[in-house]
């Protein structure tokens, strides 16, 4: 009896589903959504004005005619850029047809699709041989998938205007073979855990949904059953193709790379790129297969990921350039426009997202974008408040992570980004325990990002440059410790991918002192690294003091290089400078070959300072030094015959011939100067000394002396991060007692 | 009879004058002005809001008490910055007293002045020995004069609140000895033609006006009659102290440095600095001595100079950094706020100035500022439209000049600034026939500016750095020709000051092709230089083409270096690069010692290209080369032990062992790229060839071939700039006829 009911319900469900399915559009735009939009035209200013903008863009493009050239160029070249423009315009034209009910848009989409259908089946594989998975329209399957993700939306929008014959022609001669080519035709591309495959999965799934092709939908969700890929196969970026668990498909691509908080292991630049197929296919599934409950999958991680991405930006909305990342990419990108609209509409209508949408000045012209525009018109906008936060890495959140420490107002904020995550797949860098620092949206201590000019043809066809491996991925390119001029894990992907750092403890808040402490024991055999980064609030300082306590444990003597990748003009140093009359590279490999040694210094004192000026403020690094410490001023650009690198400066503290040791450094951002007022305010440091009070296996204690008032004392428990653990140490004959892994106090003497 | 009437009229005039004079305030603020302001409080939003801002600033400062420390520090140090703050606040407090009629401000001004009066007479000369004219309050008389220019305004504002005894004390113990010290006490400072002296003249004149001290007023206007300065005496900057004509005083300082159009020979950075005393003393004279007709002096040059200064800015309002100039200084400076308000009120009420005042967001709290705020409230604002213009140099406009070629809208504009002026006194650079190029407010081809961090104590007390002489002033630091690695006039001020370049002809317009052609025959003995810079409009190009035709005539063989000081990342070169594995300075002196040679190239072809990317657009230099031409890529920073220089890149075309020659180079700004869209548009050059068609003493003709369409032919008459002269040349057997010094035509073949 129960079984019969179940079957009946199943049939009913399928019927409802198939009826719903025939109600095109239904993938991203829905019939109800379109009706609501049409009824409100002229009433929602943001939507209307953006619609007008898009209409003008598409109208201008339609004017130029149909352009479907035979593919031949790399990124940046004509055929590549033309086919890219086609899919972007087709998606918009489809939407315009639905909203404005003007046949001209449907006709345009149909004509272009017919042209693709005419050539597709006979197209050879793209002539450019650079990819591990070559496409047909573009040089790689990845771009072919981009095309299908966009074009399946256009097809859905005009579906109802097509005759059965036209539908059959488009599906048999274009869409089905297209979907097959990027999936079963290229399993090494389709069947993996990677942002590339997510695009492939979504492309196949979205066209599958529009075509109601169950085979394609299953393939998209669960991957190819048989892929014949060898276990050690690698892609162009040197990443493994085969997932350890052997899983593939869209759901597996949600499962593996996202941590529970929605941090994507490849880091924000690629997360941004992947969010479009993740979210668009998810919206399609939500609309056409609500039973998948895709937005609830893995505890709702897809929508959480949008919030995570928005928090992984500086004050200007630019993503922190962790791992391979092109600087300047921001939440103003088209992927984030749709992500914000979708997260608002399909999520919990967080009114903070509306302020981001307003800044973006763009919308998706669909149910989600309309909901956003309507809510803004209704005055529901609230500020999007970014907070200090911890993002774990790994599918279960157990592979270290990223912590963001924020202080100050949204526009004037100081952000410290600490990285103690897993490697991050093929786009990962050898940067364990690295950090970067931002002030008012500018980089104070930078992460280099990637060595690539994405889509700029002159620079290696827009692809990765060899300096991405030789410099950008190397440890010395990051603000973290390099032992014996060798990168972490000896720069070996296979090794690096096996390990992750461990968070030791963290204190994150938007008020008061903040700390992130993490350990890394695998990057160098026999060397244990423990770094604690603090943001200490003190009214005597213009901004929170960034204190960097880096404890190194080793039985063997090593050379330690601790770089600070600053930007700006050196103002003063407490030590004499030995300017170099001839410039030579600092080393021979692991990134050192790219650094010119411009100047160095050494003076045997235990406390030293280096001040510089950038973006209207002064910055000072105050160092606790060993007598033999050397200070190296370098500049990028050696062994860079093609001018592929930026000529950025760096400052390196070098400590040779040392086993276990402690680095204590403080970074102040102080004062200001404007070339308009020509008045220098607070141009010098407020620190006058740093002392180690205690440094044992169990405890590290330092005292920071300011130019006025009492010193700040910081004590760290090195071996027990327990919040409720009681500690006591004797310092200068006086016993100090506290609870938890740290104590920060101002000592009145 | 006539004589008697004259005397009577004279007496009457003096009486009226002295009555008027007793009506304090009368120097900058006037009684009528103050009444009008008081009546309109709360009615003129811009004035009200800015008044509120200043009130808050002054109130906060008064809260901190009175600070008149014994002088001891250099610029950037405490006593310097404190006394500077004092005079700025005193001026504001005086104004607040007049407008708000709150005794607290008058009391504050009085108390501070009494404190100065208490110490002044016994103050020794300032302990810092760096200046050729040391002050008492500051390290140089210049800053002492700044103080008096501001403080005389404050004194005028509270004059009526003081008792006769107080007035007598302040004048006898502070103001008169103060004015004497900076004038008769320092004739080498006061009695010259220089911005320093203008400050001195204005200071003495303004306090003279308030005190009604005719001797001081005469001294201010006409200088000291006897100064005892030797003819060859020089100041700290190496400039001559004694003017050739032996003239001095305020009027002579208007006469000599300004050209008829109001270009100031020291260039805009110092013009900006000097405009404050020029205009404030002028307003004082206008109010208290209308018979001087100061705003009509030299055909109204003082107010013309404001318009000139505003036109000497890029799209962001920043001054072109000609001669010694700190980059970033702009029309947002306090000197320009008063200049704009004064030019509006005392000039012809140019409503374009209101838009600048709005952008500035600041006002002078006096008659002029009120007039501006009122006009803005009345909706009279119009855009300030900058135009292509020629500014002659020299008192009579006969010492060469500057031409600014502009194209495009105000925010998207391309500016070419060509310099063929006189040397520019002690702040001049050896940069004959140099030019700089700006796009959207960014530098495409830069003028380095100065080597100094004004008022930043860590950098040589905020004063000029030695690299200002060894680099910034040298010819190689500019976009102009260097012969045999020697600077123009052998870098000798005495020689450089004797000569100026000559304009040959110019075509300036805001529509169509623009040209500036100039000649320099004295910079190098035996070498004649003739440079023609063109901005050619062509619909096939994104922006006007900048064409640089540099003709060199010499009997002897020389080495020619033509640098292009670009900014940004190299994208591609048409020639192979010989990257340097060890960096060495390019030369030994004349600025070459500061350039690291990073890479070079040579390939024997007659046409070469170098493309780079900066600020969102691509730029390409297309060169017509001799087979032996070398291409040098340099970077600044060699022999710069203190990190005083920026590490800017340069590109140098080197042609060795050549007598007469022709350089033809074209600069394109094309396409765009954003890291947010990651789409590269028009990333490559639209030029494919440059050919010399003809190059004789009389004519130079070149053909610019684009990648599509017909070539552009440019013919220049080299020896006759007459507009109505008919010319004919035979090119490829075909006779071309035209009238005037040039012909630009597109040749359909």
């Amino acid at each position: 009896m129960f079984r019969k009911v179940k079957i009946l319900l199943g049939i009913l469900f399928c019927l409802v589903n198939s009826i719903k399915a025939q109600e095109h559009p239904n993938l991203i735009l829905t019939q109800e959504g379109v009706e609501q939009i049409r009824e409100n035209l002229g009433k929602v200013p943001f939507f209307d004005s953006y619609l007008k903008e898009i209409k003008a863009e598409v109208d201008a493009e339609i004017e130029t005619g149909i352009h479907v050239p035979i593919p031949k160029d790399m990124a940046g070249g004509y055929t590549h850029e033309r086919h890219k423009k086609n899919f972007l315009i087709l998606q918009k034209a489809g939407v315009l047809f639905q909203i404005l009910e003007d046949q001209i848009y449907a006709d345009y989409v149909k004509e272009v699709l017919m042209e693709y259908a005419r050539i597709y089946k006979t197209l050879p594989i793209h002539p450019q041989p650079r990819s591990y998975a070559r496409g047909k329209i573009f040089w790689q399957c990845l771009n072919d998938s981009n095309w299908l993700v966009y074009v399946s939306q256009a097809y859905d929008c005009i579906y109802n205007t097509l005759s059965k014959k036209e539908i059959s022609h488009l599906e048999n001669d274009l869409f089905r073979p297209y979907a097959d080519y990027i999936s079963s035709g290229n399993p090494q591309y389709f069947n993996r855990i990677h942002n590339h495959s997510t695009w492939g999965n979504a492309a196949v799934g979205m066209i599958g949904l529009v075509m109601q092709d169950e085979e394609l939908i299953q393939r998209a969700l669960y991957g190819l059953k048989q892929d014949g890929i060898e276990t050690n196969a690698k892609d162009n970026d040197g990443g493994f193709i085969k997932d350890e668990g052997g899983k593939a498909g869209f759901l597996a691509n949600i499962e593996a790379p996202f941590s529970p908080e929605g941090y994507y292991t490849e880091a924000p630049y690629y997360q941004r790129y992947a969010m479009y197929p993740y979210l668009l296919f998810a919206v399609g599934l939500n609309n056409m297969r609500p039973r998948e409950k895709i937005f609830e999958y893995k505890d709702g991680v897809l929508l959480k990921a949008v919030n995570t991405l928005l928090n992984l930006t500086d004050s200007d909305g630019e993503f922190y350039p962790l791992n391979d990342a092109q600087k300047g990419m921001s939440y103003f990108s088209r992927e984030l426009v749709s992500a914000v609209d979708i997260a608002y509409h399909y999520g919990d209508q967080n009114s903070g997202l509306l302020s981001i949408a307003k800044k973006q000045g763009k919308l998706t012209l669909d149910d989600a974008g309309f909901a956003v525009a309507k809510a803004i018109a209704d005055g529901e906008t609230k500020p999007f408040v970014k907070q200090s936060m911890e993002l774990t890495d790994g599918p279960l959140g157990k592979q270290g992570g990223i912590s963001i420490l924020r202080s100050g107002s949204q526009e004037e904020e100081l952000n410290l980004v600490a990285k103690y995550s897993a490697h991050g797949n093929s786009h990962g860098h050898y940067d364990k325990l690295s950090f970067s620092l931002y002030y008012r949206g500018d980089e104070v201590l930078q992460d280099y990002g990637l060595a690539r000019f994405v889509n700029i043809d002159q620079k290696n066809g827009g692809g990765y440059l060899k300096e991405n491996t030789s410099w950008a991925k190397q440890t010395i390119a990051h603000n973290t410790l390099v032992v014996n001029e060798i990168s972490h894990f000896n720069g070996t992907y296979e090794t690096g991918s096996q390990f992750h750092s461990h968070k030791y403890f963290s204190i994150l808040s938007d008020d008061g002192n903040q700390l992130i402490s993490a350990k890394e024991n695998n990057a160098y055999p026999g060397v244990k690294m423990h770094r604690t980064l603090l943001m200490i609030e003190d009214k005597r300082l213009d901004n929170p003091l960034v204190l960097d306590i880096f404890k190194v444990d080793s039985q063997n003597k090593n050379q330690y290089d601790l770089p600070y990748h600053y930007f700006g003009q050196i103002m003063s140093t407490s030590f004499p400078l030995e300017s170099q009359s001839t410039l030579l590279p600092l080393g021979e490999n692991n990134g050192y070959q790219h650094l010119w040694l411009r100047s160095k210094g050494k003076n045997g004192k235990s406390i030293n300072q280096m001040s510089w000026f950038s973006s209207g403020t002064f910055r000072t690094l105050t160092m606790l030094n060993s007598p033999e410490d050397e200070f190296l001023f370098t500049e990028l650009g050696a062994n860079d015959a093609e001018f592929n690198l930026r000529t950025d400066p760096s400052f390196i503290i070098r400590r040779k011939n040392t086993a276990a040791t402690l680095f204590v450094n403080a970074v102040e951002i102080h004062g200001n100067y404007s070339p308009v007022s020509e008045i220098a305010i607070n141009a010098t440091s407020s620190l006058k000394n740093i002392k180690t009070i205690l440094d044992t296996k169990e405890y590290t204690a330092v005292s920071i002396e300011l130019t006025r008032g009492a010193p700040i004392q910081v004590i760290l428990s090195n071996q027990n991060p327990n919040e409720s653990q009681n500690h006591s140490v004797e310092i200068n004959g006086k016993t100090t007692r506290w609870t938890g892994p740290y104590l920060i106090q101002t000592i009145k003497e």
Side-chain angles (χ1 to χ4, degrees), chain A residues 539-543 571 611-613 616-620 668-673 679-687 707-708:
Chain A
K539 283 186 179 157
R540 291 168 290 180
L541 302 172
D542 292 343
N543 289 292
M571 287 286 115
S611 288
W612 68 103
F613 177 77
T617 61
F618 298 91
R619 292 100 197 257
T620 299
E668 279 167 279
I669 299 171
H670 54 92
N672 61 73
Y673 178 80
I679 295 172
I681 295 170
N682 208 8
T684 53
S685 167
S686 296
L687 261 56
T707 49
R708 60 200 170 93

Side-chain angles (χ1 to χ4, degrees), chain A residues 234-291:
Chain A
K234 286 191 188 176
D235 67 6
N236 293 106
D237 303 328
F240 290 121
I241 285 177
K242 197 87 178 175
D243 177 56
E244 274 180 61
K247 285 192 178 175
F250 191 69
L251 298 177
N253 263 307
I254 298 175
E255 203 58 60
F258 283 109
S259 77
E261 296 90 6
Y263 175 76
Y264 188 71
T265 193
E266 295 182 22
Y269 177 73
Y270 278 98
Q271 177 165 357
R272 175 269 328 166
Y273 182 60
M275 279 321 281
Y276 193 79
Y278 273 121
L279 290 173
L280 272 282
F281 186 29
V283 169
L285 286 167
N286 181 73
N287 289 338
M288 298 185 75
R289 283 208 176 211
R291 72 171 186 270

Side-chain angles (χ1 to χ4, degrees), chain A residues 122 148 261 274 324 369 378 384 404 442 460 538 559 564 568 601 672 678 691 749:
Chain A
T122 58
L148 192 54
E261 296 90 6
D324 286 342
D378 292 347
F384 184 85
I404 309 163
D442 285 321
N460 189 34
D538 191 295
Q559 172 187 293
Y564 287 90
N672 61 73
E678 294 190 335
K691 283 184 202 161
E749 279 160 350

Side-chain angles (χ1 to χ4, degrees), chain A residues 338-516:
Chain A
S338 53
V340 165
D341 293 358
I342 288 168
Y344 179 82
H345 185 59
Y346 295 98
D348 57 359
Q349 287 79 53
N350 171 0
S351 51
L353 293 172
L354 302 175
S355 68
I356 304 278
K358 261 174 124 169
K359 280 191 193 171
Q360 290 171 331
K362 291 180 181 177
L363 290 168
T364 55
L365 295 177
D366 55 25
D367 305 31
F370 179 77
V372 164
K374 182 80 169 46
I376 289 173
D378 292 347
E380 291 176 19
T381 311
K382 287 192 181 149
F384 184 85
V385 181
K386 295 182 209 170
Q387 288 169 319
S388 291
M389 60 167 62
E390 180 187 349
L391 301 167
T392 62
D393 195 5
L396 303 173
K398 293 188 173 174
Q399 300 181 11
I402 302 281
S403 280
I404 309 163
L405 281 56
R406 295 179 187 278
S407 172
S409 66
Q410 296 289 306
E411 266 79 43
E412 293 274 299
E413 66 174 2
L414 183 67
N415 315 167
L416 185 157
V417 183
K419 188 164 185 275
Y420 47 93
S421 63
H423 190 71
N425 297 352
S426 61
H427 292 296
H429 288 194
Y430 302 95
D431 60 351
K432 296 296 165 206
L433 307 190
S434 179
F435 81 110
S436 47
L437 192 65
Y438 303 82
Y439 181 62
R440 294 182 186 159
D442 285 321
E443 296 170 299
V444 178
L445 298 173
Q446 73 156 331
D447 184 320
Y448 186 85
L450 47 62
R452 177 183 179 183
F453 298 86
V454 182
N455 291 333
I456 298 183
D457 194 35
Q458 297 97 306
K459 288 292 193 188
N460 189 34
Y464 278 96
L465 300 164
K466 61 184 187 305
E467 291 78 10
N468 196 60
T469 303
S470 63
W471 167 254
K473 287 191 170 194
Q474 299 296 330
T475 306
I476 190 64
H478 302 83
N479 299 304
T480 190
L481 194 75
V482 186
V483 179
N484 300 325
E485 300 186 32
I486 295 166
S487 283
H488 296 166
F489 307 109
N490 205 9
T492 312
Y493 175 64
E494 286 75 1
T495 317
S497 296
Q498 292 170 34
F499 299 103
H500 58 83
S501 308
H502 293 266
K503 187 182 88 161
Y504 177 60
F505 78 93
S506 67
I507 304 294
L508 307 178
S509 70
D510 292 316
D511 188 27
N513 300 321
Q514 303 189 64
L515 297 89
I516 170 69

Side-chain angles (χ1 to χ4, degrees), chain A residues 107 134 145 247 338 368 375 498 500 526 583-584 618 666 714 744:
Chain A
D107 290 347
R134 289 155 74 179
S145 301
K247 285 192 178 175
S338 53
Q498 292 170 34
H500 58 83
L583 299 198
L584 290 166
F618 298 91
V714 176
I744 298 174

